[in-house]
Amino acid sequence: MTQQTDRSVTTPGTPEPSAQEPTALPLFSPRTLLSRALSVPLVLGFSVFLPLLVLVQPGAGQRDSALWMQLALTMYAGTRLSAMILTSRRKLLAGSFWLFVYMAMGVAPFAQSVLGRTPTPVVGARTDLTEAVSLVLIGCVAFDIGSLLARQRPGRERNDRLRPALVHRRRLYLLTLVAFVGSALLVVKLGGPAVFFTSRQEIISSVEEAGLAQADSQAGQAIVRGFGTVPALIAWLVYTRWLVTSRRARRSVVIIAVWLALAALNLVVNNPISNPRFWFLTVLFSLLFTVFPVSAALYRIALSLGVVVALIVFPIADRFRYDDANYRPIQTTSPLEPLALKDYDQVGMFANTITYVQSGRGHTYGRQLAGSVLFAVPRSVWPGKPMDTGVAVGQWMGATNTNLSSPVWAELWIDFGPVGMTAGFVALGYAAARVDRRYARRAVRRAPPGSLIALTVPLVAGYSFILLRGPLLQASGRVAIAACCIALITTFRQDRATGLR
C-alpha cells in the first residue's frame, strides 16, 4: 500500500476536516482587522464630520438647493474616497479621480457656498449653479456605473496571456539624451537655471519674452514647457524603477550616475517653485508609486494625506506663484477661507460654462474636443481653431485673468450636452476600472524592472488631476509628448539584449 501524506497541519484535540468540507480559512487577518477598525471613522470623517464642520461655519452663503446639492455631492464623494482607501486592491486611477472630486468638486466649493465667496465670480443665475452641481453628481454616478460594467468584462484569462509591454534599453538611452537636450534648451531659452527658482510669474514672463506663448491661449506655453519637463520626468521614473527592482542595476556605477544626473535635471525643471502645483503633484504621485510599486499602505496614506495637502498645503504653496512685489498674503481668521479664494473654481466655472451656452452660443458638438486632439495644428492653418474652453468662457465673462479651469464635466457638457457627458463618464469609469485591474495584476514584486504598466499608470494617475481640472487643450501638449516618449521606449520583446536587467 502507498502511504499518502496530508499537507495540512492539525493540533492535538482538533478534529480533522472531512473530505467533503474544505479547510476553513482564518476569519480575520491583521490587514482585515485594520481595515475594519479604520472603516467607520474614515467613512464618517470624510462623508459626515468634515462636511458638517464646513456647514456650521458662519458665512453669508445662501441656504438653498445649490448648497444642499453640494452637500450631497460632498458626502457621496467622501464615501467613495473612503472605499478607495479601504479597498484591498490599489486602484490608482479611481483613487485619484475620487480624491479630486472630493476636494475640488466637493469640500472646496461647499466651503465657498457656505462662506458666500468664490475665487471666480459665478455670472449666471443661481439655478445654473444648482444645475452644475447636479451634473457633477450625475457624472460621478455614471463613473461608478462604468466601473461596475467593467467587472462583467469576459475574457480576462485571454488578456493575461498577452505579452506585457516592456522598456527597450537602447531606446531608453535615446530618451535620456532627448531629456537632457530638451531641458537644456528650455533652461537656455528662459535665461538660465536661476529663473526656475524664482516664481511661476517669472517663468511665464520669461516664456512671453522669448516669444513662446500666444496671448489668447495657454496651449503654446504648455507645449514648450512640456518638451523641457516631460521627457526628463519619464526617463527619471524609468531609471528609478530600474534601480528599485534590480540588484544588478544598483551595482552599476553608470546607471546610478545617470539617475543622479536626471534627479538634478528634474530638480531644476520640475521643482515646485516654478511649476504649477497640479504638475508637481503629478511628479510626486508618480515618483511615490514608482519607488513603492506594491505598497498598499503607501496607497492608503497617499489618498488620505491628499485631503490634508489639498486643504492646507495647496493654499500655502500659492506663495511661489508670484514674486515678492506682487505677492499678497491672505489675511483671514477662518481655516476655510483659503479654499474660497484660491484654486478651486471648477464648479463655479462649470456653472459659467452652462450660462455661456445658454446665452446663445450653444453646444459645440465636438468642436472643443477636436481642438484639444488637434492641438498641434497652427492657427495659420486652422483659422477657426477653438480656444481653451476656460479662456473662451473667461473672455465672454470679461475676466482679466483668463487662465481659468474648465473641468472635464464642462468640457464634455459644452460639446455633447448632458447625455453625452453622462456617456463620457461611463466610458471613463469603465476604462479606469480595466486599467486599475490590470495594474493590480501586473505591478507585483515579481514584475520585471522594465514593466511599462508599472510606470505609466502612476504617471497617468498623477496627471489625471490636471486633466480633470482642465482645460483639455492646455493639458494636451504634455499628454502628447508623454505618449511619444512612452511609444519610443516600448517593446514587446522579452530577450536579454533589449530588456532592463
Side-chain angles (χ1 to χ4, degrees):
M1 296 178 61
T2 302
Q3 185 177 4
Q4 297 181 355
T5 59
D6 187 4
R7 296 183 181 179
S8 63
V9 178
T10 59
T11 58
T14 303
E16 296 185 1
S18 62
Q20 290 78 16
E21 292 182 340
T23 303
L25 295 175
L27 293 178
F28 300 103
S29 66
R31 181 175 297 179
T32 303
L33 288 173
L34 181 62
S35 299
R36 293 186 179 183
L38 290 176
S39 59
V40 173
L42 189 68
V43 174
L44 290 179
F46 283 166
S47 61
V48 179
F49 295 149
L50 183 55
L52 289 181
L53 178 64
V54 175
L55 183 63
V56 298
Q57 296 297 313
Q62 301 181 36
R63 302 300 174 110
D64 57 1
S65 57
L67 183 138
W68 302 122
M69 283 299 303
Q70 189 67 62
L71 174 62
L73 172 60
T74 305
M75 297 178 70
Y76 184 87
T79 303
R80 298 298 295 125
L81 177 60
S82 302
M84 293 298 104
I85 296 174
L86 296 171
T87 184
S88 59
R89 288 182 174 179
R90 290 161 295 137
K91 300 180 179 180
L92 296 190
L93 298 185
S96 59
F97 174 83
W98 288 112
L99 177 59
F100 176 86
V101 171
Y102 182 64
M103 291 311 306
M105 314 298 284
V107 174
F110 185 47
Q112 294 165 11
S113 296
V114 171
L115 298 177
R117 304 184 64 178
T118 57
T120 302
V122 178
V123 298
R126 188 75 176 175
T127 54
D128 291 346
L129 180 60
T130 305
E131 182 179 356
V133 178
S134 302
L135 288 170
V136 172
L137 183 57
I138 290 172
C140 292
V141 174
F143 185 90
D144 274 337
I145 292 174
S147 300
L148 292 174
L149 292 176
R151 295 183 180 180
Q152 309 301 322
R153 185 177 62 87
R156 186 178 72 178
E157 294 77 8
R158 181 179 66 253
N159 290 333
D160 285 342
R161 289 196 295 267
L162 297 177
R163 286 186 176 184
L166 302 173
V167 175
H168 194 287
R169 189 169 68 250
R170 288 191 293 271
R171 296 179 194 168
L172 172 62
Y173 301 153
L174 177 59
L175 175 63
T176 304
L177 178 61
V178 171
F180 280 107
V181 172
S183 297
L185 289 175
L186 178 64
V187 171
V188 171
K189 197 72 175 177
L190 297 187
V195 72
F196 289 86
F197 296 95
T198 53
S199 66
R200 293 195 295 274
Q201 182 183 11
E202 187 66 28
I203 286 286
I204 294 173
S205 299
S206 299
V207 170
E208 293 174 349
E209 290 174 3
L212 302 177
Q214 298 178 359
D216 58 349
S217 177
Q218 299 293 325
Q221 179 189 153
I223 295 172
V224 171
R225 297 187 66 180
F227 277 111
T229 57
V230 175
L233 174 61
I234 294 179
W236 189 37
L237 292 176
V238 176
Y239 272 91
T240 300
R241 175 169 173 79
W242 196 359
L243 288 172
V244 167
T245 58
S246 172
R247 184 177 301 175
R248 181 174 182 177
R250 291 193 293 271
R251 290 197 290 260
S252 172
V253 177
V254 175
I255 295 176
I256 295 175
V258 173
W259 182 88
L260 290 174
L262 286 169
L265 185 65
N266 279 275
L267 181 63
V268 174
V269 299
N270 283 320
N271 68 75
I273 297 176
S274 58
N275 284 277
R277 283 158 288 177
F278 279 99
W279 172 247
F280 183 72
L281 187 63
T282 300
V283 175
L284 184 61
F285 204 83
S286 56
L287 181 62
L288 281 177
F289 287 104
T290 301
V291 176
F292 304 99
V294 296
S295 175
L298 179 70
Y299 165 76
R300 294 173 177 176
I301 292 172
L303 291 184
S304 301
L305 290 183
V307 177
V308 179
V309 169
L311 282 171
I312 300 175
V313 178
F314 260 39
I316 297 176
D318 188 66
R319 173 64 183 86
F320 301 124
R321 175 176 290 180
Y322 307 103
D323 56 22
D324 293 334
N326 294 283
Y327 176 66
R328 298 291 183 269
I330 302 174
Q331 302 294 334
T332 177
T333 57
S334 172
L336 299 177
E337 197 163 354
L339 299 177
L341 298 177
K342 293 299 179 181
D343 305 273
Y344 301 110
D345 65 341
Q346 286 76 36
V347 171
M349 282 302 297
F350 188 13
N352 289 332
T353 304
I354 292 175
T355 309
Y356 169 82
V357 171
Q358 293 177 350
S359 67
R361 271 71 179 176
H363 294 284
T364 55
Y365 301 105
R367 188 169 176 270
Q368 290 297 121
L369 181 61
S372 301
V373 174
L374 303 175
F375 71 97
V377 178
R379 296 189 183 274
S380 59
V381 177
W382 186 4
K385 181 181 177 180
M387 293 183 295
D388 295 344
T389 304
V391 172
V393 177
Q395 289 183 350
W396 169 79
M397 293 166 52
T400 304
N401 176 23
T402 58
N403 185 19
L404 302 171
S405 66
S406 178
V408 69
W409 287 261
E411 296 280 358
L412 290 172
W413 188 87
I414 195 174
D415 266 335
F416 308 112
V419 176
M421 186 207 75
T422 304
F425 273 97
V426 171
L428 285 176
Y430 182 85
R434 286 190 58 179
V435 173
D436 279 337
R437 186 174 290 112
R438 182 165 295 186
Y439 175 80
R441 291 199 302 269
R442 298 210 170 159
V444 293
R445 295 187 186 278
R446 64 179 181 275
S451 175
L452 203 60
I453 193 171
L455 293 162
T456 55
V457 173
L459 183 63
V460 173
Y463 199 70
S464 65
F465 295 110
I466 297 177
L467 293 173
L468 291 169
R469 177 187 180 272
L472 290 180
L473 180 58
Q474 183 176 338
S476 297
R478 277 175 166 154
V479 171
I481 296 169
C484 292
C485 293
I486 292 172
L488 173 64
I489 63 176
T490 300
T491 182
F492 292 94
R493 296 173 59 184
Q494 299 186 8
D495 54 76
R496 297 172 63 86
T498 61
L500 304 184
R501 294 179 291 163

